Every structure is written in C-alpha cells, then in structure tokens.
Amino acid sequence: MSDPIARSTPAKWASISFLLLGGMLVLLVSLSIAVSVGAVAVPAGTVWGVLANKLSPGFVEQTWSQGREAIVWNIRFPRAILAMMVGAGLAIVGASLQAVTRNPLADPHLLGISSGGAFGAIFALLHSGLFLGVLTVPLLAFIGALAATLIVLGVSRLADASSADRLVLAGVAVSFIIMAAANGLIFLGDPRASHTVVFWMLGGLGLAQWDQLIYPLVILILCGAWLALRTTQLNAMTIGDETAATLGIAVARFRLVVFVIGALITGVMVAFSGIIGFVGLMVPHIARMLVGGDYTRVLPASALVGAIFLLWADIAARTVMAPEDMPIGIVTGLVGGMFFVWLLGRRSL
C-alpha cells in the first residue's frame, strides 16, 4: 500500500478530483445501461424520461407504454439503486477493515461477517417469523453479523492470533462454522420455504422494492459519514497500533467500533441482497491504485468503484443466462476469486 501520510501536491489533488468526477460519469452511464438492458430492452431516452416524469410529472412527453414504465420504475431502478448501495457499502466496510487490521485480505466475507448476517436472515425467514414486519430480517441479520464479528475477535484473542493474517484465518474458520449452522437451520426449516433462503445463500437483487430501499440507504449514509469523519484515525491505523496510540487513538476501542459499524452495514446489506462476496476485498485495492493510500480519498473512491462494479456484476448476471437471472454472488465470486489469487501472488503483499 502507498504511504497514507504522504502529502499530495495540488496537481495530484486535481488529478484525483478528475478521477472522481470521471467515476461519477461512469456511474451514471452504468446506471443507465443497467436499467436499459434485460429481457425487454428499453432505450436510454425512455429510462431517463420515466425518471424525469416521476420526479416532475409532465416534464417529458410520454411516448412509452405503461408496461415499459412499470419495468423501468418498479423493477429495474430499485434493483440498480440497491446494487449501488450494496456495492458502496461492502466496499467501504472492506476498506475500513483492511485499515484497522492492517491486512490487505480483510473483507466482510472472509472475516465471517457476511455469514453471520446470512444466518440471522435465514433464522428470521424460517424460524422466528417477521415479528417486526419488514425490519425483522435486517435486524436479525445485523445481530448475526455482530455476533460473528465478536466471535472472530474472541477466537483470535483466545488463540493469541493477533497478527493480521491469523485474524483472517480465524474469520474463515468461524465463517465455515456459521454457514454450517445456517445450513442446519435450512434443513430444520419448512422445506416449502427453502427456495426463499437460496436468495441469501447465492446473492441476488431481484427482490428490491422502493419502499424498502430507505433502510439500507439510511444505514449507508449514517455509517459512511461516521467513517468519513475518521479518516485520520484510519490512516494512523494502517501504520501500526503504536503510531496510532501516540496520536491519542484508543486503538482497541476504535478497532472494535469499526468492526461494529462494519457488521451493521454488512448485516443490513446482506438482509436485502444476500451473500455477495469479495466486493470488500477487491474494490479498496482498486481504489488505492487509482487515488493512493490516503483514506480521505480511499473511502469515497471505494464507494464509487464498489457501486460501479456491482452494477456491472448485476448486468452480467441478468444477461449471461437471459432471460433467467444468474445469482449475482456467482459473478462476484468468480471475479473476486481470480482477484484474490492475483493478490496473493503480489510480492508486495
């Protein structure tokens, strides 16, 4: 990783600003394509015309059918927006975990956080019932993700696995155990409902609905803002605990809070998208390649690249086996697995 403390010249800041602005343009183009493609192709002009009329009725003359409007507004836009939120959320979680663990392989999937979230979601769907309505699944997914986080930290402390690589190994071990328990829940649950939990096991965005997007959006904004206000601490943590402590950071407490924030974001995202692996692993590395190691730039760049990446992963999932939707977790797992192998082979790792 590049030195996060190194000072940036005005020219470098201008270059980074250009990259971020370019990334925003790519995001808008990707969003347009994501809403346009599918079993029923919709022209980009129709996509933005529908959006304009929804925001300001009558702004554009309607030349499209009600059926196409329903496809664009009720199905594809919510799905694309959920993809952007999940991609951005998992990416900033991965970037933050890599900072506080000083491990380039840290990611909510490998540390067992995603598995804990899936366990909570499956328990809510098959055993507890929706006792809090639509909030039940996100709440239990967060509790499961938080429990998995605390178990990983407890196992690493019990085994004196304080090094970064051993922490990831502890996370992988706990992840296997939790997924075995989740499979047990599926086995003991109603067989007629088992197809529902496949959504959480393989990952997918097909259940996105406008009235439910507010929950991941609020969590992403609040938790993302909390992390963005603490980029100085994240920069210090990438150098080492001793350096961070000399700067007045309560290292153990700060690391724990970042893990809890990561569990909250991951749990809520898993509740609405299922297990989508490797986004938190890949995207922060790509962001650092583009903007350097300063977390003032890494976090927004990670969010942007994560949103773009998951949009295109969803495009691939919907087109490779059209008209059937491939689970998006298969796409991210395939790409992420290859990236993981490449990352392991880097001499700088």
Side-chain angles (χ1 to χ4, degrees):
M1 295 183 188
S2 58
D3 184 4
I5 304 300
R7 296 184 180 276
S8 299
T9 64
K12 186 173 183 179
W13 272 109
S15 175
I16 292 168
S17 299
F18 178 77
L19 282 173
L20 293 177
L21 289 174
M24 290 296 296
L25 179 60
V26 172
L27 179 62
L28 288 175
V29 172
S30 301
L31 174 62
S32 180
I33 295 173
V35 179
S36 297
V37 301
V40 177
V42 180
T46 299
V47 169
W48 295 109
V50 170
L51 177 61
N53 276 359
K54 290 295 181 180
L55 297 177
S56 178
F59 184 78
V60 177
E61 180 183 357
Q62 182 169 336
T63 58
W64 52 85
S65 66
Q66 292 295 325
R68 288 202 172 190
E69 180 172 318
I71 291 172
V72 169
W73 186 250
N74 296 328
I75 299 175
R76 293 186 184 171
F77 256 119
R79 179 172 181 148
I81 292 173
L82 180 61
M84 291 191 297
M85 289 193 292
V86 172
L90 295 179
I92 63 174
V93 171
S96 302
L97 293 178
Q98 289 168 15
V100 298
T101 63
R102 298 188 306 282
N103 190 330
L105 300 181
D107 136 285
H109 186 64
L110 292 180
L111 290 179
I113 302 175
S114 294
S115 299
F119 180 91
I122 292 169
F123 183 80
L125 290 168
L126 296 182
H127 297 279
S128 73
L130 302 181
F131 57 90
L132 291 177
V134 71
L135 292 177
T136 307
V137 176
L139 176 61
L140 292 189
F142 164 62
I143 293 174
L146 180 60
T149 300
L150 297 178
I151 292 172
V152 170
L153 294 176
V155 168
S156 63
R157 177 170 295 186
L158 181 66
D160 194 25
S162 56
S163 64
D165 56 340
R166 293 177 69 86
L167 179 63
V168 171
L169 290 177
V172 171
V174 170
S175 179
F176 277 118
I177 295 172
I178 293 175
M179 288 310 300
N183 290 330
L185 289 180
I186 297 173
F187 178 76
L188 296 173
D190 184 353
R192 293 172 297 179
S194 60
H195 69 280
T196 304
V197 301
V198 172
F199 170 77
W200 273 267
M201 303 296 285
L202 299 179
L205 304 169
L207 300 182
Q209 299 177 29
W210 280 116
D211 59 349
Q212 296 180 5
L213 293 183
I214 185 64
Y215 304 112
L217 177 63
V218 168
I219 294 300
L220 179 60
I221 290 174
L222 293 179
C223 294
W226 189 91
L227 291 170
L229 292 173
R230 286 158 179 82
T231 53
T232 300
Q233 291 92 322
L234 291 172
N235 281 333
M237 293 290 288
T238 62
I239 300 176
D241 288 0
E242 292 183 1
T243 301
T246 59
L247 295 175
I249 300 172
V251 173
R253 184 175 65 182
F254 181 72
R255 180 179 289 116
L256 178 61
V257 173
V258 170
F259 267 94
V260 172
I261 292 293
L264 178 56
I265 297 176
T266 304
V268 172
M269 298 304 167
V270 165
F272 290 97
S273 68
I275 299 178
I276 298 179
F278 294 107
V279 175
L281 171 66
M282 291 185 295
V283 172
H285 290 280
I286 297 172
R288 281 188 285 266
M289 293 175 189
L290 294 173
V291 300
D294 187 344
Y295 268 73
T296 305
R297 306 186 297 268
V298 169
L299 279 184
S302 295
L304 192 57
V305 175
I308 294 170
F309 170 74
L310 209 60
L311 271 177
W312 280 99
D314 187 48
I315 292 171
R318 289 188 287 119
T319 56
V320 168
M321 299 180 63
E324 296 293 329
D325 281 1
M326 178 189 296
I328 195 172
I330 295 177
V331 178
T332 61
L334 178 63
V335 177
M338 293 187 292
F339 187 89
F340 189 87
V341 171
W342 172 79
L343 197 60
L344 285 173
R346 292 184 64 191
R347 293 185 177 183
S348 58
L349 190 59

